[in-house]
Amino acid sequence: ARDLRLATTTSTDNSGLLGYLLPRFEAAHGIKVIVISVGTGKALKLGENGDVDVVLVHSRPDEDRFIEQEHGVNRRDVMYNDFVIVGPLVDPAALRGGRDAVKAFGKIMDARSVFVSRGDDSGTHKMELRYWSELGKQPTGNSGYRSAGRGMGEVLLMASELSAYALTDRATFYAMKDKVDLEILVQGDPRLFNPYGVMAVNPAKYPDINFDAAMRFIDWLTSSQGQQAISEFKVDGKQLFFPNAAP
Amino acid sequence: MELIETTRQALRLLFAGDAELWRIVWVSLKISVGALLLMSPVAIAVGYLLATQRFPGRRIIVVVTQALFAFPTVVVGLLLYMLLSRQGPLGSLHLLFTQTAMMIGQMLIAAPILVAFTLSAVQGADARVRETAIVLGAGRWRTALTVLTEVRFGVMAALFNGFGRVISEVGCALMVGGNIAGMTRNMPTAIALETTKGEFAQGVALGIVLMVLALGVNFAMSWAQGAGAQPQ
Amino acid sequence: MELIETTRQALRLLFAGDAELWRIVWVSLKISVGALLLMSPVAIAVGYLLATQRFPGRRIIVVVTQALFAFPTVVVGLLLYMLLSRQGPLGSLHLLFTQTAMMIGQMLIAAPILVAFTLSAVQGADARVRETAIVLGAGRWRTALTVLTEVRFGVMAALFNGFGRVISEVGCALMVGGNIAGMTRNMPTAIALETTKGEFAQGVALGIVLMVLALGVNFAMSWAQGAGAQPQ
Amino acid sequence: MNMASTVPVALRDGAGDRDAHDRVVVSCHGLKRSIGAQVILDVNRLRLARGRIYLLSGPNGAGKTTLLRVLAGLDRASCAAFQFDGEAIDLAQYPQSVRRRIGFVHHHPLLFSTSLHANIGYGLKAAGVARAEAKRRIADAIEWAGLGGLVDRPSRALSAGEKQRVALARAHALDPVLYLLDEPKANLDERGREMVTSLIGC
Amino acid sequence: MNMASTVPVALRDGAGDRDAHDRVVVSCHGLKRSIGAQVILDVNRLRLARGRIYLLSGPNGAGKTTLLRVLAGLDRASCAAFQFDGEAIDLAQYPQSVRRRIGFVHHHPLLFSTSLHANIGYGLKAAGVARAEAKRRIADAIEWAGLGGLVDRPSRALSAGEKQRVALARAHALDPVLYLLDEPKANLDERGREMVTSLIGC
Ligand SMILES: Nc1ncnc2c1ncn2[C@@H]1O[C@H](COP(=O)(O)OP(=O)(O)OP(=O)(O)O)[C@@H](O)[C@H]1O
Ligand SMILES: Nc1ncnc2c1ncn2[C@@H]1O[C@H](COP(=O)(O)OP(=O)(O)OP(=O)(O)O)[C@@H](O)[C@H]1O
Ligand SMILES: [Mg+2]
Ligand SMILES: [Mg+2]
C-alpha cells in the first residue's frame, strides 16, 4: 500500500505519542505513516495544498474553517489533553493553586509580571488570546508581555530564563520538565481543555490523494483499539492524552 | 560537563556505527555532495564567463549574485515548495518531501556562492594566464580549465564555502524535505529537532559530528587537490 | 498569483514606511551591519596574517576555518545560549534574548567566512605588492593596508558573503534572540514565523524585501568602494 | 637603434620557392587601436613577409607591445583587410588554426604552475599532437633551450632568464610560422641570446 | 661582460671626506642562501663602498636577483656579520630605518593600482614626509623621469618601459643611500637609460 502522509503538530510527535501509536497502526494495516511535524498553521496549509493525506492538529476554529472551505473531510475528535499555566517557583503574581485561567491572566497583568506568549497563531496561542479577550484586556497593555513567535518548547525555555509565566500544553511541559525551572501553577479549568482533531484531505480536490489510507488511519485512531492505545501512552507513569472520540 | 559528555557519546555512537546516526549522516552527505557535484560545473562555468566576458548588464548580474547570499534558505525552500507542491507547476513530479527536492534546494543555495567566488578568483588571476593559454592555441575549454587550475585555491575555497553552506542549512531542508525520520532527516534538521525539544547538548553534539564530517571532507578535498594552501 | 500580490504588498508596506515592518528591517540591519563592522577588522587581520605568515599549524588552522563554514548557525546559537543562560558562565550579564546576544552570535558566524576569504584573496595577490610596500619603507600596518587595498575585490566579496550570511541566518538569531516582537524579531526570524504559521506567501514576500535591502547595501558598498568589479 | 626597446617580429622561411606575393604572411591596412580619445596604435599599412625579421623600434610607450598583442589577437584593433597566409581573418575572432601558427612570447612571460615539461608541452597538447611525438618535441625543446638542469624545479622558483627560456622553448616546440617576441633578449645571458638568434636569425 | 644580464648595485657618494673605512656601506661574511639541498647564493665576503657602482654579472640563474633580494631583506639568508652604514643588522629583522635608505627596484616592477602620484609618493608617505615637501619631491621625480604626460593614465595601462620609469622615480623620490636595481635598463629606451645613468652614474 502507498505510504500515508500525516501532518501534525510538534506536541504529538515530540511527546512520543506518535512513536507509540504509529507502529500499532502500521502493524494492523500494513501502511507506513510518514510524519511531518510542524506548527498547526503549517500543517493545515500542507493539507490545503494537498501535500499530505491526513492532518492531526489542535485548533478547533481553524479546523472548522478547513472543513468549511472544503479542504478536508471527515473531521473527528480524537483526544484531548489540557493546557496549564506555568511559572517560576517564586510566583510573583501569586497564581499557585488557582483553577481559573482567566483570573490568573488578570493577576499576571496586575502584577506586571513577565509573560511569554507563543505569538505564532498556533492552537496554544489562539487559546491564550481567548483568555485575554474574556478578561477584556489587551495583552500588550502589560509591559512584561513578550510575543515570542516560537514553538512550545522554546517558549518554555524562554520563560524559564526570564522567570516568566507561560501557557503550555501539559504534554510538552512534561517532556521539558527537567530542562526548565518552572512549575504548574494553574490547572483544571474546563476552559483549559485542548482537543485534537483529525481529518482527511478532500479527495474531491485531489483525486490522487491517499484517501483510503487516510480514512483507515482516522478509523483506527477513533476505534476502540486506537483510543485504548492513546490512554495507554504514559510519560513517567502519567497519562498525557485522553481519548474522546465519539463512537 | 554535560556538553562534553554528550559530544563524546555522539562521537562514540558515530564510530561505533550506530545505524540511526549513520543514516542521518549518510542522508546529509549524499544530498550535499550530490548537490555540489551537480551544481559546481555549471556554476563554475558561469563564474568564469562572468569574469572573462564583457557584456551589458554584467555588473548588475555580479551584484545581484552577491546579494543572493542574503536570500534566506527558508525562502528558497518556500519557493521550491510552491513549485513542487501538488498545486504547483511541478506538482505532478511528486518530488515534495523527498531527498531529490532537498538536493534541488541545495543546488539553488550553492549556486550564487559558487558563481561569485569563482568569479572573484578568476578575476584575481594574472591576465597573462589566460593570454598564454590562448596564444599557445588552447580552445575555450582548455583555456578555462587552465585558468581555473591556476586559481584552484580560490575555486577550492568556493567549494568549501558552498559545501559548508549546504550541509549546514536547515531552512530549505525542513521546508521541502519535511524532516521525515529515516527518509529526509539530515544532520541540520535533526539538530533543529533536538533544539525544539530542548535537548541542547544533543544538538551541539550532532553539530560537532557535522564539523568532524566537514573537516574530513575538506581534508579529503584539499588532499585530493594536492599541494595545499601554501603562502606564496 | 498570490505570491506576486503578496510581494507587491510587502514592498508597498516597506516604501509606505509601515512601522512594524520597518522596525523589523531596522533590527536586522542594525545587528548585521554592527556585527560586520565589529568583526571585520579582526577577522581581516587574522586572514591577512594567515596568508602572509608561516608558522607550524597554519595549514590546520586554515582547513579548520573552512570547515567552520559547515557549523550550523543553530549550533553557534546553542553554544552561545549555554554561555549566556542564567546557569551559564556569563549568565549574570543578562544578555540572553537581547539584540546584543544576536550581534555576538552573528560576529561568531561571520568570523570564519571573513577570515577564509581574506586569506584566499591575499594569498592570490601578486607577491610583489607586499614586497614593493616593504622596500618602500612601509611598516606592518601600511603594508597590510596596501595589500588589502590591492585585493579589495576579494575583501569585498568576503564582506558581501559575510553580510549575506548573517543577515539571512535564522538559527542563532532565534536561539539567542528569541524572535520577540518589537525587540529581537528580525527579517529571518519573522520569515521563519510566517512559515510556521503557514503564511508562505508572506514569508516569501519578506524574503524578497530582505533581498532588496541586501541589494541596496551591496550596491552602496560596491559604490563606496569605487571602480566596481571590472574584468581585468 | 636601441636594442633594449626593440621588439623583433620574425618569420620563418617557408620551404620551396614561391613568388613574392606568396611570401607575404601578414598584411593589413589601417591598423588602429584607440582607448578612449587616445590613439595608441596607428599603422597605415603592414606587410610581413616569410623569412624576414622585423625589429620594432621606438621609445617607451610607442606601441610596440600593443602591435604584437594585436597581431596575436590579444588586443582588439580596427583594421581594414587583415590577411594571414593568404587567408582573410577577422581580428576579433582570431581562429585557433591561425593561433597555432604564431609564437607569441610576453615581454615578461608567465609559466603555468605545472611542471616545466607540462609548460613546454602545453601547446602541443592543445594542438592534439600524439603523446610520443609530443614527448620527443618537448625533449628537443628542452635540449635546445639548455633547460636540462631545471626540469625538477617548481616553475615559480625559476629566475627571470630561466623563465624567459622556458617560454621561448614553449613557443619553439610549436614550430610556428611567425614569431612575435616582445623584448626577448632583455632577460637573457650570452647563451640565451644565442638561442634567440638561432630562433629568429638576429 | 653582458649588459642584459647585468644588475647594478649603486651607492651614492656621501657628503664630506671620510677615510676608507667610513665609506663602507654594506659589509658581511659568508652570505649564503639555500633552498632544500640546493645552494643558490654563496658569497664569501661582500663589501659595498659609498660612491661606487657594482655590476653583478653572471649567467641566468647565477643568483644576481637573489643577492639583491637578500640585501633588500626580501629573501632570508644566513650571514655572519651584516653591517649597514656601520650598524650591525639582523637580516631576518631588517629594520625599517635601514629599508628607507635602500632603493630596491624589481626586475619587473609592480605599480600599485592607485594613481601615478600616489605610487611615487608612497615611500614618502610611509616615511612621514610632510605633505608640501612630499608634493614637491613627487613633482621633482615626475619631471626627472619624464613622466609628465602619463600622470592621468591608470597605472595598469602603462607600457613596460613606462612602468619601469615610474618605479625608478618612486625609488628616486626617497633619495636612498643604496640603490639595488635588478636589470634596470632592460625595458628602457635611450632616454630611460640616460635616466638610470644619471641615477647611478653608469
Ligand atoms: N625554491 C627554489 N627551488 C629551487 N631552485 C630555486 C628556488 N628559488 C630559486 N631557485 C634557483 O636559484 C637560482 C638563482 O635565481 P636568481 O633569480 O637569483 O638568478 P639571476 O642571477 O637573477 O638570473 P637571471 O639573470 O635569469 O635573472 C635560479 O637558478 C633559480 O632556479
Ligand atoms: N587603457 C589605456 N589608457 C591609456 N593609455 C593606454 C592604455 N593602455 C595602453 N596605453 C598606452 O599605450 C601606449 C603603448 O603601450 P605599449 O605597451 O604598446 O608600448 P611599448 O612600445 O611596448 O613600450 P615599452 O618599450 O615601454 O614596452 C603606452 O603609452 C600606454 O601608456
Ligand atoms: Mg613593450
Ligand atoms: Mg634575475
PDB file of all heavy atoms in Angstrom, chain A residues 5 34 42 46 49-51 154 157 176 179 206 208, chain B residues 81 85-87 94 96-97 175 180 196-200:
ATOM      1  N   ARG A   5       0.770  10.101   4.354  1.00  0.00           N
ATOM      2  CA  ARG A   5       1.473  11.301   4.825  1.00  0.00           C
ATOM      3  C   ARG A   5       0.624  12.019   5.859  1.00  0.00           C
ATOM      4  O   ARG A   5      -0.478  12.456   5.553  1.00  0.00           O
ATOM      5  CB  ARG A   5       1.763  12.228   3.666  1.00  0.00           C
ATOM      6  CG  ARG A   5       2.780  11.638   2.708  1.00  0.00           C
ATOM      7  CD  ARG A   5       2.942  12.549   1.527  1.00  0.00           C
ATOM      8  NE  ARG A   5       4.075  12.120   0.734  1.00  0.00           N
ATOM      9  CZ  ARG A   5       4.698  12.906  -0.133  1.00  0.00           C
ATOM     10  NH1 ARG A   5       4.273  14.139  -0.326  1.00  0.00           N
ATOM     11  NH2 ARG A   5       5.717  12.453  -0.817  1.00  0.00           N
ATOM     12  N   ILE A  34       4.181   8.430   7.175  1.00  0.00           N
ATOM     13  CA  ILE A  34       5.263   9.408   7.130  1.00  0.00           C
ATOM     14  C   ILE A  34       4.817  10.641   7.886  1.00  0.00           C
ATOM     15  O   ILE A  34       3.801  11.239   7.551  1.00  0.00           O
ATOM     16  CB  ILE A  34       5.590   9.759   5.672  1.00  0.00           C
ATOM     17  CG1 ILE A  34       6.218   8.540   4.999  1.00  0.00           C
ATOM     18  CG2 ILE A  34       6.529  10.944   5.591  1.00  0.00           C
ATOM     19  CD1 ILE A  34       6.369   8.701   3.517  1.00  0.00           C
ATOM     20  N   LYS A  42       1.023  25.576   9.651  1.00  0.00           N
ATOM     21  CA  LYS A  42       1.701  24.983   8.512  1.00  0.00           C
ATOM     22  C   LYS A  42       1.105  23.616   8.184  1.00  0.00           C
ATOM     23  O   LYS A  42       0.955  23.262   7.014  1.00  0.00           O
ATOM     24  CB  LYS A  42       3.192  24.868   8.809  1.00  0.00           C
ATOM     25  CG  LYS A  42       4.024  24.463   7.612  1.00  0.00           C
ATOM     26  CD  LYS A  42       5.500  24.668   7.892  1.00  0.00           C
ATOM     27  CE  LYS A  42       6.366  23.916   6.906  1.00  0.00           C
ATOM     28  NZ  LYS A  42       7.794  23.974   7.273  1.00  0.00           N
ATOM     29  N   LEU A  46      -0.308  22.567   4.574  1.00  0.00           N
ATOM     30  CA  LEU A  46       0.131  21.408   3.792  1.00  0.00           C
ATOM     31  C   LEU A  46      -1.073  20.590   3.350  1.00  0.00           C
ATOM     32  O   LEU A  46      -1.108  20.071   2.227  1.00  0.00           O
ATOM     33  CB  LEU A  46       1.104  20.544   4.600  1.00  0.00           C
ATOM     34  CG  LEU A  46       2.470  21.167   4.914  1.00  0.00           C
ATOM     35  CD1 LEU A  46       3.298  20.229   5.797  1.00  0.00           C
ATOM     36  CD2 LEU A  46       3.230  21.481   3.639  1.00  0.00           C
ATOM     37  N   ASN A  49      -2.915  22.397   0.530  1.00  0.00           N
ATOM     38  CA  ASN A  49      -2.220  22.266  -0.751  1.00  0.00           C
ATOM     39  C   ASN A  49      -2.173  20.830  -1.255  1.00  0.00           C
ATOM     40  O   ASN A  49      -1.592  20.557  -2.304  1.00  0.00           O
ATOM     41  CB  ASN A  49      -0.795  22.804  -0.629  1.00  0.00           C
ATOM     42  CG  ASN A  49      -0.774  24.313  -0.519  1.00  0.00           C
ATOM     43  OD1 ASN A  49      -1.784  24.962  -0.722  1.00  0.00           O
ATOM     44  ND2 ASN A  49       0.376  24.863  -0.183  1.00  0.00           N
ATOM     45  N   GLY A  50      -2.711  19.907  -0.480  1.00  0.00           N
ATOM     46  CA  GLY A  50      -2.718  18.514  -0.919  1.00  0.00           C
ATOM     47  C   GLY A  50      -1.373  17.831  -0.833  1.00  0.00           C
ATOM     48  O   GLY A  50      -1.125  16.843  -1.516  1.00  0.00           O
ATOM     49  N   ASP A  51      -0.493  18.368  -0.005  1.00  0.00           N
ATOM     50  CA  ASP A  51       0.823  17.767   0.098  1.00  0.00           C
ATOM     51  C   ASP A  51       0.891  16.683   1.166  1.00  0.00           C
ATOM     52  O   ASP A  51       1.901  15.997   1.302  1.00  0.00           O
ATOM     53  CB  ASP A  51       1.866  18.850   0.360  1.00  0.00           C
ATOM     54  CG  ASP A  51       2.009  19.756  -0.851  1.00  0.00           C
ATOM     55  OD1 ASP A  51       2.052  19.210  -1.970  1.00  0.00           O
ATOM     56  OD2 ASP A  51       2.040  20.985  -0.688  1.00  0.00           O
ATOM     57  N   GLU A 154      10.546  26.042  22.997  1.00  0.00           N
ATOM     58  CA  GLU A 154      11.380  27.239  23.101  1.00  0.00           C
ATOM     59  C   GLU A 154      10.747  28.268  24.028  1.00  0.00           C
ATOM     60  O   GLU A 154      11.452  28.964  24.771  1.00  0.00           O
ATOM     61  CB  GLU A 154      11.588  27.865  21.718  1.00  0.00           C
ATOM     62  CG  GLU A 154      12.459  27.033  20.793  1.00  0.00           C
ATOM     63  CD  GLU A 154      11.655  26.163  19.871  1.00  0.00           C
ATOM     64  OE1 GLU A 154      10.533  25.754  20.265  1.00  0.00           O
ATOM     65  OE2 GLU A 154      12.118  25.891  18.768  1.00  0.00           O
ATOM     66  N   LEU A 157      11.480  27.327  27.538  1.00  0.00           N
ATOM     67  CA  LEU A 157      12.858  27.638  27.904  1.00  0.00           C
ATOM     68  C   LEU A 157      13.025  29.131  28.143  1.00  0.00           C
ATOM     69  O   LEU A 157      13.702  29.561  29.070  1.00  0.00           O
ATOM     70  CB  LEU A 157      13.804  27.175  26.785  1.00  0.00           C
ATOM     71  CG  LEU A 157      13.944  25.660  26.675  1.00  0.00           C
ATOM     72  CD1 LEU A 157      14.509  25.282  25.328  1.00  0.00           C
ATOM     73  CD2 LEU A 157      14.831  25.127  27.791  1.00  0.00           C
ATOM     74  N   MET A 176       9.481  18.661  28.823  1.00  0.00           N
ATOM     75  CA  MET A 176      10.545  19.648  29.037  1.00  0.00           C
ATOM     76  C   MET A 176      10.859  19.868  30.516  1.00  0.00           C
ATOM     77  O   MET A 176      11.727  20.669  30.851  1.00  0.00           O
ATOM     78  CB  MET A 176      10.103  21.009  28.456  1.00  0.00           C
ATOM     79  CG  MET A 176       9.828  21.024  26.993  1.00  0.00           C
ATOM     80  SD  MET A 176      11.329  21.010  26.023  1.00  0.00           S
ATOM     81  CE  MET A 176      12.050  22.550  26.546  1.00  0.00           C
ATOM     82  N   LYS A 179      14.220  20.416  32.058  1.00  0.00           N
ATOM     83  CA  LYS A 179      15.081  21.452  31.486  1.00  0.00           C
ATOM     84  C   LYS A 179      14.664  22.852  31.882  1.00  0.00           C
ATOM     85  O   LYS A 179      15.308  23.810  31.505  1.00  0.00           O
ATOM     86  CB  LYS A 179      15.074  21.336  29.965  1.00  0.00           C
ATOM     87  CG  LYS A 179      15.634  20.006  29.504  1.00  0.00           C
ATOM     88  CD  LYS A 179      15.482  19.806  28.025  1.00  0.00           C
ATOM     89  CE  LYS A 179      15.803  18.388  27.657  1.00  0.00           C
ATOM     90  NZ  LYS A 179      14.686  17.455  27.919  1.00  0.00           N
ATOM     91  N   TYR A 206      -8.274  16.633  -4.618  1.00  0.00           N
ATOM     92  CA  TYR A 206      -7.045  15.958  -5.072  1.00  0.00           C
ATOM     93  C   TYR A 206      -7.349  14.488  -5.274  1.00  0.00           C
ATOM     94  O   TYR A 206      -7.224  13.685  -4.350  1.00  0.00           O
ATOM     95  CB  TYR A 206      -5.933  16.124  -4.033  1.00  0.00           C
ATOM     96  CG  TYR A 206      -5.622  17.566  -3.729  1.00  0.00           C
ATOM     97  CD1 TYR A 206      -5.983  18.140  -2.518  1.00  0.00           C
ATOM     98  CD2 TYR A 206      -4.973  18.365  -4.677  1.00  0.00           C
ATOM     99  CE1 TYR A 206      -5.710  19.464  -2.239  1.00  0.00           C
ATOM    100  CE2 TYR A 206      -4.703  19.694  -4.417  1.00  0.00           C
ATOM    101  CZ  TYR A 206      -5.077  20.241  -3.200  1.00  0.00           C
ATOM    102  OH  TYR A 206      -4.808  21.537  -2.944  1.00  0.00           O
ATOM    103  N   ASP A 208      -5.863  12.046  -6.557  1.00  0.00           N
ATOM    104  CA  ASP A 208      -4.841  11.018  -6.351  1.00  0.00           C
ATOM    105  C   ASP A 208      -4.280  11.034  -4.935  1.00  0.00           C
ATOM    106  O   ASP A 208      -3.241  10.467  -4.663  1.00  0.00           O
ATOM    107  CB  ASP A 208      -3.711  11.177  -7.373  1.00  0.00           C
ATOM    108  CG  ASP A 208      -3.047  12.524  -7.247  1.00  0.00           C
ATOM    109  OD1 ASP A 208      -3.669  13.435  -6.668  1.00  0.00           O
ATOM    110  OD2 ASP A 208      -1.898  12.656  -7.711  1.00  0.00           O
TER     111      ASP A 208
ATOM    112  N   TYR B  81       9.008  24.846  -2.566  1.00  0.00           N
ATOM    113  CA  TYR B  81       7.788  24.179  -2.115  1.00  0.00           C
ATOM    114  C   TYR B  81       6.628  24.546  -3.027  1.00  0.00           C
ATOM    115  O   TYR B  81       5.864  23.681  -3.474  1.00  0.00           O
ATOM    116  CB  TYR B  81       7.474  24.578  -0.669  1.00  0.00           C
ATOM    117  CG  TYR B  81       6.106  24.143  -0.220  1.00  0.00           C
ATOM    118  CD1 TYR B  81       5.914  22.858   0.294  1.00  0.00           C
ATOM    119  CD2 TYR B  81       4.998  24.967  -0.367  1.00  0.00           C
ATOM    120  CE1 TYR B  81       4.650  22.427   0.655  1.00  0.00           C
ATOM    121  CE2 TYR B  81       3.740  24.554  -0.011  1.00  0.00           C
ATOM    122  CZ  TYR B  81       3.559  23.281   0.497  1.00  0.00           C
ATOM    123  OH  TYR B  81       2.308  22.853   0.843  1.00  0.00           O
ATOM    124  N   SER B  85       4.841  21.655  -4.808  1.00  0.00           N
ATOM    125  CA  SER B  85       3.611  21.267  -4.143  1.00  0.00           C
ATOM    126  C   SER B  85       2.636  20.731  -5.185  1.00  0.00           C
ATOM    127  O   SER B  85       2.703  21.069  -6.361  1.00  0.00           O
ATOM    128  CB  SER B  85       3.031  22.480  -3.437  1.00  0.00           C
ATOM    129  OG  SER B  85       1.645  22.350  -3.315  1.00  0.00           O
ATOM    130  N   ARG B  86       1.723  19.916  -4.723  1.00  0.00           N
ATOM    131  CA  ARG B  86       0.777  19.289  -5.633  1.00  0.00           C
ATOM    132  C   ARG B  86       0.068  20.319  -6.509  1.00  0.00           C
ATOM    133  O   ARG B  86      -0.210  20.087  -7.672  1.00  0.00           O
ATOM    134  CB  ARG B  86      -0.242  18.508  -4.819  1.00  0.00           C
ATOM    135  CG  ARG B  86      -1.138  17.625  -5.630  1.00  0.00           C
ATOM    136  CD  ARG B  86      -2.137  17.008  -4.718  1.00  0.00           C
ATOM    137  NE  ARG B  86      -1.499  16.102  -3.790  1.00  0.00           N
ATOM    138  CZ  ARG B  86      -1.337  14.805  -4.038  1.00  0.00           C
ATOM    139  NH1 ARG B  86      -1.765  14.297  -5.144  1.00  0.00           N
ATOM    140  NH2 ARG B  86      -0.778  14.032  -3.144  1.00  0.00           N
ATOM    141  N   GLN B  87      -0.159  21.504  -5.885  1.00  0.00           N
ATOM    142  CA  GLN B  87      -0.838  22.560  -6.635  1.00  0.00           C
ATOM    143  C   GLN B  87       0.107  23.309  -7.554  1.00  0.00           C
ATOM    144  O   GLN B  87      -0.319  24.041  -8.425  1.00  0.00           O
ATOM    145  CB  GLN B  87      -1.403  23.579  -5.651  1.00  0.00           C
ATOM    146  CG  GLN B  87      -2.624  23.090  -4.937  1.00  0.00           C
ATOM    147  CD  GLN B  87      -3.310  24.253  -4.278  1.00  0.00           C
ATOM    148  OE1 GLN B  87      -2.643  25.086  -3.685  1.00  0.00           O
ATOM    149  NE2 GLN B  87      -4.607  24.307  -4.395  1.00  0.00           N
ATOM    150  N   HIS B  94       5.775  14.739  -8.038  1.00  0.00           N
ATOM    151  CA  HIS B  94       5.758  14.147  -6.692  1.00  0.00           C
ATOM    152  C   HIS B  94       7.132  14.160  -6.040  1.00  0.00           C
ATOM    153  O   HIS B  94       7.614  13.159  -5.544  1.00  0.00           O
ATOM    154  CB  HIS B  94       5.220  12.714  -6.740  1.00  0.00           C
ATOM    155  CG  HIS B  94       3.793  12.655  -7.145  1.00  0.00           C
ATOM    156  ND1 HIS B  94       2.791  13.194  -6.398  1.00  0.00           N
ATOM    157  CD2 HIS B  94       3.213  12.151  -8.258  1.00  0.00           C
ATOM    158  CE1 HIS B  94       1.640  13.026  -7.002  1.00  0.00           C
ATOM    159  NE2 HIS B  94       1.862  12.400  -8.155  1.00  0.00           N
ATOM    160  N   LEU B  96       7.970  16.504  -3.660  1.00  0.00           N
ATOM    161  CA  LEU B  96       7.957  17.114  -2.333  1.00  0.00           C
ATOM    162  C   LEU B  96       8.238  16.059  -1.255  1.00  0.00           C
ATOM    163  O   LEU B  96       7.808  14.911  -1.378  1.00  0.00           O
ATOM    164  CB  LEU B  96       6.597  17.764  -2.088  1.00  0.00           C
ATOM    165  CG  LEU B  96       6.588  18.788  -0.964  1.00  0.00           C
ATOM    166  CD1 LEU B  96       7.497  19.957  -1.309  1.00  0.00           C
ATOM    167  CD2 LEU B  96       5.175  19.261  -0.708  1.00  0.00           C
ATOM    168  N   PHE B  97       8.939  16.477  -0.230  1.00  0.00           N
ATOM    169  CA  PHE B  97       9.319  15.589   0.876  1.00  0.00           C
ATOM    170  C   PHE B  97      10.166  14.413   0.415  1.00  0.00           C
ATOM    171  O   PHE B  97      10.043  13.300   0.904  1.00  0.00           O
ATOM    172  CB  PHE B  97       8.086  15.095   1.644  1.00  0.00           C
ATOM    173  CG  PHE B  97       7.218  16.214   2.144  1.00  0.00           C
ATOM    174  CD1 PHE B  97       5.853  16.180   1.982  1.00  0.00           C
ATOM    175  CD2 PHE B  97       7.793  17.317   2.767  1.00  0.00           C
ATOM    176  CE1 PHE B  97       5.060  17.230   2.432  1.00  0.00           C
ATOM    177  CE2 PHE B  97       7.007  18.374   3.220  1.00  0.00           C
ATOM    178  CZ  PHE B  97       5.630  18.330   3.050  1.00  0.00           C
ATOM    179  N   MET B 175      11.736  22.639   4.854  1.00  0.00           N
ATOM    180  CA  MET B 175      10.572  23.035   4.068  1.00  0.00           C
ATOM    181  C   MET B 175      10.255  21.999   2.985  1.00  0.00           C
ATOM    182  O   MET B 175       9.097  21.603   2.841  1.00  0.00           O
ATOM    183  CB  MET B 175      10.874  24.399   3.442  1.00  0.00           C
ATOM    184  CG  MET B 175       9.677  25.107   2.931  1.00  0.00           C
ATOM    185  SD  MET B 175       8.538  25.549   4.243  1.00  0.00           S
ATOM    186  CE  MET B 175       6.993  25.193   3.438  1.00  0.00           C
ATOM    187  N   ILE B 180      11.550  14.021   7.734  1.00  0.00           N
ATOM    188  CA  ILE B 180      10.900  12.734   7.986  1.00  0.00           C
ATOM    189  C   ILE B 180      11.943  11.718   8.447  1.00  0.00           C
ATOM    190  O   ILE B 180      12.934  11.474   7.763  1.00  0.00           O
ATOM    191  CB  ILE B 180      10.204  12.231   6.708  1.00  0.00           C
ATOM    192  CG1 ILE B 180       9.171  13.250   6.246  1.00  0.00           C
ATOM    193  CG2 ILE B 180       9.572  10.872   6.945  1.00  0.00           C
ATOM    194  CD1 ILE B 180       8.662  13.014   4.850  1.00  0.00           C
ATOM    195  N   THR B 196      14.399  22.015  19.333  1.00  0.00           N
ATOM    196  CA  THR B 196      12.996  22.266  19.712  1.00  0.00           C
ATOM    197  C   THR B 196      12.644  21.492  20.961  1.00  0.00           C
ATOM    198  O   THR B 196      11.819  21.919  21.752  1.00  0.00           O
ATOM    199  CB  THR B 196      12.016  21.769  18.625  1.00  0.00           C
ATOM    200  OG1 THR B 196      12.741  21.316  17.520  1.00  0.00           O
ATOM    201  CG2 THR B 196      11.044  22.848  18.257  1.00  0.00           C
ATOM    202  N   LYS B 197      13.228  20.334  21.082  1.00  0.00           N
ATOM    203  CA  LYS B 197      12.903  19.508  22.242  1.00  0.00           C
ATOM    204  C   LYS B 197      13.635  19.974  23.485  1.00  0.00           C
ATOM    205  O   LYS B 197      13.477  19.394  24.557  1.00  0.00           O
ATOM    206  CB  LYS B 197      13.303  18.054  21.973  1.00  0.00           C
ATOM    207  CG  LYS B 197      12.413  17.355  20.972  1.00  0.00           C
ATOM    208  CD  LYS B 197      12.600  15.852  21.126  1.00  0.00           C
ATOM    209  CE  LYS B 197      12.681  15.116  19.825  1.00  0.00           C
ATOM    210  NZ  LYS B 197      13.368  13.835  19.949  1.00  0.00           N
ATOM    211  N   GLY B 198      14.525  20.972  23.311  1.00  0.00           N
ATOM    212  CA  GLY B 198      15.287  21.434  24.464  1.00  0.00           C
ATOM    213  C   GLY B 198      16.494  20.560  24.753  1.00  0.00           C
ATOM    214  O   GLY B 198      17.149  20.720  25.776  1.00  0.00           O
ATOM    215  N   GLU B 199      16.774  19.625  23.857  1.00  0.00           N
ATOM    216  CA  GLU B 199      17.944  18.749  24.061  1.00  0.00           C
ATOM    217  C   GLU B 199      19.174  19.427  23.496  1.00  0.00           C
ATOM    218  O   GLU B 199      19.727  19.012  22.471  1.00  0.00           O
ATOM    219  CB  GLU B 199      17.719  17.406  23.348  1.00  0.00           C
ATOM    220  CG  GLU B 199      16.527  16.632  23.823  1.00  0.00           C
ATOM    221  CD  GLU B 199      16.777  15.942  25.167  1.00  0.00           C
ATOM    222  OE1 GLU B 199      17.904  16.047  25.686  1.00  0.00           O
ATOM    223  OE2 GLU B 199      15.840  15.322  25.684  1.00  0.00           O
ATOM    224  N   PHE B 200      19.605  20.487  24.174  1.00  0.00           N
ATOM    225  CA  PHE B 200      20.682  21.295  23.626  1.00  0.00           C
ATOM    226  C   PHE B 200      21.984  20.533  23.480  1.00  0.00           C
ATOM    227  O   PHE B 200      22.671  20.631  22.473  1.00  0.00           O
ATOM    228  CB  PHE B 200      20.919  22.534  24.500  1.00  0.00           C
ATOM    229  CG  PHE B 200      19.772  23.488  24.476  1.00  0.00           C
ATOM    230  CD1 PHE B 200      19.751  24.572  25.316  1.00  0.00           C
ATOM    231  CD2 PHE B 200      18.717  23.305  23.589  1.00  0.00           C
ATOM    232  CE1 PHE B 200      18.703  25.469  25.294  1.00  0.00           C
ATOM    233  CE2 PHE B 200      17.666  24.197  23.554  1.00  0.00           C
ATOM    234  CZ  PHE B 200      17.658  25.278  24.416  1.00  0.00           C
TER     235      PHE B 200
END
